[in-house]
């Protein structure tokens, strides 16, 4: 492969890496085993996967190259040939973006991994990508990491340059007084937390300004039209039906799904509705909560369905004034980042099969959690915690797993 053929790729790579800032690193960055030769960053569009990959490539220096596999360049060139040509020029660290857009990605990446033993690859893809479903056996070669939107702690650093620690559930329950005294008023937590709920989840809010929700809607449509089409091999009509299902869901979340009614309303089979719900969940657009005794099968109905985060509630223009929807959606999101969340016998959520949590307003009591061990009330509309009770903003400091 001639140098002239590689020039466009190298110019893009150099520009993308050189323009990447490293003053703010996501919490996930420190948890990744960067010594692994093959790393997959999965996540919804817009959460910051590509930027984190570019940050790592910048740290690794002149032996690094960024390649976007959805580029038209790869319609006429293979990844294997490009890697071979760049390897001969001394490149050893490859950032491979949008891998799910590249045909036979798993086979080629497996061959590169096996044939170039000193090559390191960081791969990004939609959260819906299933490496087991690929044709190449990557499950024992690839380390997977799921990247989600920013936590409240990350948002505080990203937006305000304020560092605030995170805590386990037990630490929150033991130290709620100290946490309040140290941070609440000094960091103007109430105002900043409310801002986070509206626009702090996807890092691109900073560059979007007043068009944030328009762009967020566009991102979600791209996930359905482009990412789902590539991964699940769905056609235009299926994409259209998934959008209709999402439009319907966004008006009524959180809710316990009546699949028969959804089937009638959308003129779809029961299995199609369940499959589309699973696609939306895998793509980190919705979250389907299930009890521990339910199967993980895509055709198992969730007990309750939520939008994945509160920013989506505002982007879809529904439930803006419904404080109950906002607090339940937020609690689901932050708990699911911290551990395994399931439907309990009583209450709203169970985390790691230990703590049972009920979410409500300032006047919520323990009545609905009667008899449940390790019961926690998370209350909106209060500033301070007490025995077994946490204010909603403090739950935002829950440490991610």
């Amino acid at each position: 492969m001639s140098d002239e053929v590689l020039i466009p790729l190298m110019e893009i790579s150099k520009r993308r890496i050189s323009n990447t800032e490293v003053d703010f690193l996501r919490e996930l960055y420190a948890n990744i085993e960067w010594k692994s030769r093959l790393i997959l960053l999965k996540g919804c569009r817009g959460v910051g996967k590509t930027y984190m990959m570019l940050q790592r490539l910048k740290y690794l220096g002149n032996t690094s190259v960024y390649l976007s596999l959805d580029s038209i360049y790869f319609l006429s060139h293979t990844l294997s040939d490009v890697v071979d040509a760049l390897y001969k020029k001394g490149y050893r660290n490859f950032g491979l973006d949008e891998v799910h857009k590249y045909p036979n990605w798993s086979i080629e990446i497996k061959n590169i991994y096996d044939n170039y033993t000193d090559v390191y690859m960081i791969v990004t893809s939609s959260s819906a990508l299933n490496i087991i479903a690929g044709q190449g056996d990557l499950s024992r070669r690839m380390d997977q990491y799921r990247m989600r939107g920013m936590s409240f702690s990350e948002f505080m650093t990203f937006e305000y340059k304020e560092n605030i620690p995170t805590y386990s559930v037990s630490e929150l329950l033991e130290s709620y007084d100290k946490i309040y005294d140290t941070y609440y008023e000094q960091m103007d937590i109430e105002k900043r937390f409310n801002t986070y709920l509206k626009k702090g989840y996807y890092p691109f809010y900073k560059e979007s300004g007043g068009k944030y929700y328009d762009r967020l809607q566009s991102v979600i449509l791209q996930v359905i039209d482009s990412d789902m089409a590539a991964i699940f091999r769905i056609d235009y009509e299926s994409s259209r039906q998934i959008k209709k299902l999402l439009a319907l869901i966004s008006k009524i979340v959180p809710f316990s799904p009546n699949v028969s009614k959804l089937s009638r309303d959308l003129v779809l089979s029961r299995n199609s509705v369940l499959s589309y719900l699973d696609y939306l969940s895998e793509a980190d657009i919705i979250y389907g909560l299930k009890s521990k005794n339910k199967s993980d099968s895509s055709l198992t109905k969730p007990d309750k369905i939520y939008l994945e985060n509160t920013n989506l509630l505002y982007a879809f223009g529904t439930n803006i004034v419904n404080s109950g929807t906002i607090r339940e959606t937020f609690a689901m999101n932050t708990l699911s980042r911290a551990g395994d969340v399931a439907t309990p016998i009583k209450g709203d959520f169970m985390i790691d099969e230990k703590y049972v949590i009920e979410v409500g307003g300032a006047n919520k009591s323990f009545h609905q959690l009667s008899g449940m061990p390790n019961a926690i009330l998370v209350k909106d509309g209060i500033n301070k915690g007490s025995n077994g009770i946490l204010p909603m903003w403090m739950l935002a400091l829950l440490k991610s797993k």
Side-chain angles (χ1 to χ4, degrees), residues 199-215:
K199 68 168 190 177
Y201 196 70
Y202 299 90
F204 63 79
Y205 78 84
K206 261 195 176 182
E207 62 191 59
S208 302
K211 294 291 185 180
Y212 174 59
Y213 295 135
D214 291 338
R215 183 169 170 186

Side-chain angles (χ1 to χ4, degrees), residues 87-255:
Y87 182 87
K88 291 171 180 175
K89 291 180 174 297
Y91 291 94
R92 295 295 183 269
N93 301 294
F94 293 84
L96 308 178
D97 207 8
E98 302 276 14
V99 68
H100 57 284
K101 299 291 187 65
Y102 185 83
N104 300 318
W105 58 271
S106 58
I107 293 176
E108 289 202 46
I109 288 177
K110 172 187 175 295
N111 289 336
I112 293 167
Y113 182 95
D114 291 343
N115 296 332
Y116 302 84
T117 56
D118 56 344
V119 157
Y120 293 78
M121 290 176 281
I122 305 169
V123 176
T124 73
S125 175
S126 162
S127 52
L129 184 72
N130 181 359
I131 65 167
I132 306 300
Q135 294 174 303
D137 180 14
L138 294 177
S139 59
R140 60 187 177 85
R141 296 170 171 86
M142 179 180 279
D143 289 349
Q144 294 189 65
Y145 297 89
R146 181 186 179 192
M147 191 172 186
R148 297 174 72 177
M150 290 196 297
S151 68
F152 178 60
S153 176
E154 289 176 317
F155 171 72
M156 288 288 287
T157 304
F158 186 59
E159 177 67 19
Y160 303 108
K161 305 293 189 280
E162 298 269 20
N163 294 318
I164 187 167
T166 55
Y167 304 85
S168 67
V169 176
S170 61
E171 288 170 337
L172 289 176
L173 292 171
E174 292 167 3
S175 306
Y176 52 83
D177 279 338
K178 182 179 178 182
I179 295 169
Y180 172 84
D181 292 339
T182 305
Y183 302 109
Y184 188 76
E185 293 184 359
Q186 290 87 334
M187 290 189 178
D188 197 11
I189 294 293
E190 181 177 3
K191 180 180 178 181
R192 292 173 175 183
F193 178 58
N194 287 330
T195 299
Y196 168 76
L197 293 175
K198 294 177 181 177
K199 68 168 190 177
Y201 196 70
Y202 299 90
F204 63 79
Y205 78 84
K206 261 195 176 182
E207 62 191 59
S208 302
K211 294 291 185 180
Y212 174 59
Y213 295 135
D214 291 338
R215 183 169 170 186
L216 183 48
Q217 286 187 29
S218 296
V219 163
I220 298 305
L221 293 178
Q222 277 186 290
V223 171
I224 296 172
D225 286 334
S226 182
D227 297 345
M228 285 187 186
I231 293 170
F232 299 120
R233 302 289 189 264
I234 59 176
D235 56 18
Y236 171 80
E237 180 58 26
S238 296
S239 294
R240 194 175 70 87
Q241 293 288 6
I242 291 172
K243 291 175 195 172
K244 287 174 65 177
L245 175 60
L246 179 59
L248 181 59
I249 288 172
S250 68
K251 296 176 183 177
I252 56 178
V253 286
F255 72 108

Side-chain angles (χ1 to χ4, degrees), residues 319-333:
N319 298 301
I320 291 178
V321 297
N322 189 333
S323 59
T325 296
I326 292 168
R327 62 194 177 217
E328 265 198 73
T329 302
F330 164 74
M332 174 281 303
N333 178 274

Side-chain angles (χ1 to χ4, degrees), residues 1-17 65-68 71-74 76-77 82 86 89 91:
M1 183 175 289
S2 69
D3 288 351
E4 288 186 1
V5 173
L6 293 172
I7 286 174
L9 286 182
M10 300 312 297
E11 288 180 344
I12 292 171
S13 174
K14 183 178 180 180
R15 183 169 61 249
R16 292 295 300 271
I17 294 174
V65 63
Y66 165 82
L67 302 171
S68 180
S71 166
I72 58 174
Y73 184 94
F74 287 101
S76 54
H77 301 86
V82 171
L86 291 172
K89 291 180 174 297
Y91 291 94

